[in-house]
Amino acid sequence: MAINSIQFQKGLSMSEFIVRYGREGQCEAAFIQARWPNGFCCPRCQARTASQFRRGGLLTWQCGHCPHQTSLISGTMMEHSRLPFTKWFLAIYLITQSKTNIAALTLRRQLGISWRAAWLLKHKIMEAMRQREATKPLQGDVRIDDAYLGGELTGGRAGRGSDNKVPFVAALEVHNGKPMRVRFDPVKNFSFAALKPWASIALAPDCTVTSDGLLGFEVVERLGFAHRVVIAPKGKAGTEIEPFRWLNVVLGNLKTALSGTHHAFNFRKYAGRYLAESQYRFNRRFDLAA
């Protein structure tokens, strides 16, 4: 069997990570470079001259044009956090390098912090992933399907009407028959009204959409997208036909990763973050080291 070059890529080893980011000063310097690659820029007036000092150990700038003061972490997901940069960097490394998902309890053990701190840390990182992915529409050949996150509650409504199920649109960008990028977007339901804002954000203007004929997906035609309908047979055979095979593989991997990592979480409240975490990693799988 041929070796999958994506799965067998070198990535960034733990030992290499420690060499690069094992000390607080290294992480601080990397964060400064990432935030201001062309030098400090005042967030209030965009001036580039500033004096630099430390307040409570935190690097802070005072603009030379206006009196505004900006700490290194203000306006970022690290704002108000008391954790050192080394903990943040290690958490980001563990979450992004994992093939599946990593639970807050595991982060707690790996980082040596409280469960509450680990939970907040993970959710801040997932929210940053969600915001990052939200602005990147899919292009070209796009396959879409309706999907649900969560199972049925004992004694509750069954099927798609279950109170514990969160609907989301799974969309896959395909190049030459191979999956490239994916989007998992929670929606209120699969009506025209609910899918219209999704399509406007998730799909680039020139893409061609393939769906299984779900009535709500006709909204893509109303918005001017090219739309191809392929009616899939029922059962397992419907998941293996060419237009939807890769999409169903990706969905299967997503649900396996979530159920195998998390015993329970609030689907209604946090579905977008957990879906974005898997989406973020999938879309960057070609260069794990970065």
Side-chain angles (χ1 to χ4, degrees), residues 164-184:
N164 196 44
K165 285 193 173 184
V166 176
F168 68 96
V169 179
L172 184 68
E173 180 181 313
V174 178
H175 292 186
N176 299 319
K178 300 294 184 181
M180 298 299 291
R181 297 172 56 238
V182 71
R183 284 188 67 116
F184 302 126

Side-chain angles (χ1 to χ4, degrees), residues 71-122:
S71 75
L72 180 55
I73 62 174
S74 64
T76 75
M77 64 179 175
M78 298 181 185
E79 188 171 13
H80 305 306
S81 172
R82 296 182 180 180
L83 292 175
F85 279 108
T86 50
K87 300 287 189 183
W88 274 97
F89 273 53
L90 182 54
I92 292 169
Y93 171 80
L94 293 171
I95 290 173
T96 58
Q97 295 293 300
S98 172
K99 180 174 174 60
T100 55
N101 289 21
I102 183 168
L105 275 175
T106 303
L107 279 179
R108 168 183 172 270
R109 299 185 189 103
Q110 296 281 6
L111 301 178
I113 59 179
S114 69
W115 177 84
R116 179 63 177 171
W119 188 92
L120 286 171
L121 182 66
K122 178 175 171 63

Side-chain angles (χ1 to χ4, degrees), residues 119-137:
W119 188 92
L120 286 171
L121 182 66
K122 178 175 171 63
H123 274 263
K124 285 183 177 182
I125 294 172
M126 289 194 299
E127 177 61 18
M129 290 173 161
R130 188 195 65 78
Q131 293 181 20
R132 182 77 169 180
E133 288 295 290
T135 60
K136 298 182 177 182

Side-chain angles (χ1 to χ4, degrees), residues 144 146 168-169 185 187-201 203 214-220 223:
I144 63 175
D146 58 307
F168 68 96
V169 179
D185 295 298
V187 292
K188 184 177 181 180
N189 51 53
F190 294 105
S191 66
F192 291 157
L195 291 177
K196 183 177 179 179
W198 164 80
S200 300
I201 295 171
L203 303 175
L214 183 74
L215 182 61
F217 287 147
E218 291 183 6
V219 72
V220 299
L223 292 176

